[in-house]
Amino acid sequence: MNLDTLYISRFILVCLLISGLKSYSQDTTYKFTLDTSFFTTVSLGPFQPRFNYIYHLPDKQDEQRYKKYSSLIGQQPTSKNHELYYLLACSLWELEKTVEAEKMFLTIINTNDKFFTSTYYHTSDIQGDKTKNTYGYGSFTSNYKNYAAIYLAKIYIEQKQFGKALQFLEDAVEKYRVTYTCGTGFQRQQDEYEFLYASCYEGLNRHKEVIDLLLPSCLERDDEIIITALRKTYTQKEIEEILKRAETSIKCSLDTFPSYSYQTSNYGTKKAKTDTLKYFSGTATITLFDRQIDMPVPRLEDGQRLTIEMLVKFFRESNFYIRLKGNT
């Protein structure tokens, strides 16, 4: 397992858990939909993913690694054991052995040895390519200090040492920079950075910075941090007035061309049937708390055209709206 594999695999596991929660609440007849307007139409229903990037998910490999290599905790990394050293630190984090994990991640940050200071380049997964890669297509770079700094930021957020956490986060983003050319990897990285910045800002009572950072994506996810920041900035009466005005601020631009999606029912059986859905989607904006943001567009059914009424309904059913109204 290389430098980035463990880091990405934890993220994938969380996505699978989220996916499982979503499918559990759906109809028992499986439906698969392929949307040709994927990049302009967001398929969002009542379920919206929880916005959280601090979690501990230990597995047997973490326990085995700790039992077999715990002697490394009190040692200095070498060119021969540096990758295992890093992976052990990650396992300690997952096992919530935070004191030991912090010690090892700080050692990685403070070392001047090339194996921890270098930035590694990984090419895409193409046939015949033997370079290490961890997912999908697209090249990316990796850096041990970037990941160590991210873990330290998480440790100090959990310990409510928000100033310290922010410093390590800024070092990860600027000093030990890593990049992704793959859209999936890039978006994962940006979402995690946003969550960690927002957690630090909220802990430091910098609510305006939280709002500026998180409001653009507030309708796409279940975000406790933005809710807390808004409630600490506005009264409940002000919030309800702003939400009411927001509904009338929604603007919609309808596509002049149709979009298509292909929906299969009874997938994998002899009764499988695929229907072609045709509809007119579009783009939309809404003004919230004196900021204009892009709205996610709900999934449309066959023959439907995007309307203001649909967008208002989507807005009212969002976790953001419901929680700010105090209905949960």
Side-chain angles (χ1 to χ4, degrees), residues 35-284:
D35 194 341
T36 59
S37 59
F38 177 79
F39 293 103
T40 59
T41 301
V42 180
S43 175
L44 293 173
F47 176 85
Q48 289 176 297
R50 186 180 177 213
F51 187 46
N52 181 32
Y53 281 83
I54 298 182
Y55 41 78
H56 300 268
L57 296 171
D59 56 26
K60 289 184 179 180
Q61 189 175 29
D62 293 313
E63 295 173 357
Q64 291 170 354
R65 187 178 290 128
Y66 173 65
K67 290 179 180 179
K68 189 172 182 179
Y69 300 108
S70 60
S71 61
L72 287 177
I73 296 173
Q75 299 180 23
Q76 289 296 306
T78 68
S79 60
K80 293 183 178 180
N81 69 13
H82 68 282
E83 189 167 338
L84 180 59
Y85 189 92
Y86 165 76
L87 292 174
L88 175 60
C90 295
S91 291
L92 291 169
W93 157 263
E94 300 298 344
L95 294 166
E96 298 189 56
K97 297 182 181 297
T98 308
V99 173
E100 295 92 335
E102 176 189 6
K103 178 180 178 181
M104 296 185 76
F105 286 130
L106 284 172
T107 298
I108 292 172
I109 291 293
N110 293 326
T111 186
N112 292 319
D113 292 311
K114 186 177 180 179
F115 49 77
F116 278 156
T117 58
S118 297
T119 296
Y120 300 87
Y121 177 78
H122 309 259
T123 59
S124 61
D125 277 340
I126 58 177
Q127 188 172 4
D129 183 4
K130 302 300 183 181
T131 307
K132 290 182 180 180
N133 200 0
T134 58
Y135 69 97
Y137 298 97
S139 61
F140 68 100
T141 62
S142 60
N143 184 295
Y144 284 98
K145 292 197 177 189
N146 174 277
Y147 300 126
I150 291 294
Y151 275 112
L152 286 167
K154 293 178 180 181
I155 288 171
Y156 295 130
I157 288 171
E158 285 192 329
Q159 295 176 355
K160 301 188 183 305
Q161 299 186 57
F162 299 108
K164 203 170 182 179
L166 182 58
Q167 182 59 63
F168 279 104
L169 176 59
E170 289 177 337
D171 284 347
V173 174
E174 300 296 338
K175 189 175 180 181
Y176 313 122
R177 184 175 300 182
V178 297
T179 59
Y180 295 84
T181 61
C182 168
T184 302
F186 175 80
Q187 192 58 55
R188 176 200 61 79
Q189 180 193 57
Q190 296 308 304
D191 287 347
E192 182 173 39
Y193 284 171
E194 277 192 14
F195 174 81
L196 296 176
Y197 269 116
S199 297
C200 293
Y201 293 155
E202 183 62 21
L204 295 169
N205 294 315
R206 292 160 61 173
H207 306 307
K208 182 181 182 301
E209 289 168 272
V210 172
I211 296 169
D212 289 339
L213 179 65
L214 298 185
L215 201 65
S217 300
C218 68
L219 300 179
E220 300 175 14
R221 54 202 181 196
D222 184 5
D223 183 351
E224 177 67 31
I225 302 176
I226 186 71
I227 301 299
T228 301
L230 289 169
R231 283 179 172 164
K232 288 184 178 179
T233 305
Y234 300 90
T235 66
Q236 185 61 31
K237 182 178 179 180
E238 289 173 330
I239 288 173
E240 292 186 10
E241 290 175 350
I242 290 169
L243 292 177
K244 187 176 180 180
R245 290 199 303 270
E247 291 184 14
T248 63
S249 76
I250 296 175
K251 296 179 181 179
C252 173
S253 177
L254 191 66
D255 289 342
T256 59
F257 52 88
S259 295
Y260 299 88
S261 63
Y262 306 94
Q263 182 170 284
T264 300
S265 57
N266 298 311
Y267 183 76
T269 71
K270 292 182 179 181
K271 295 181 179 181
K273 179 184 177 182
T274 300
D275 297 314
T276 300
L277 309 182
K278 176 183 176 181
Y279 49 87
F280 284 83
S281 187
T283 58

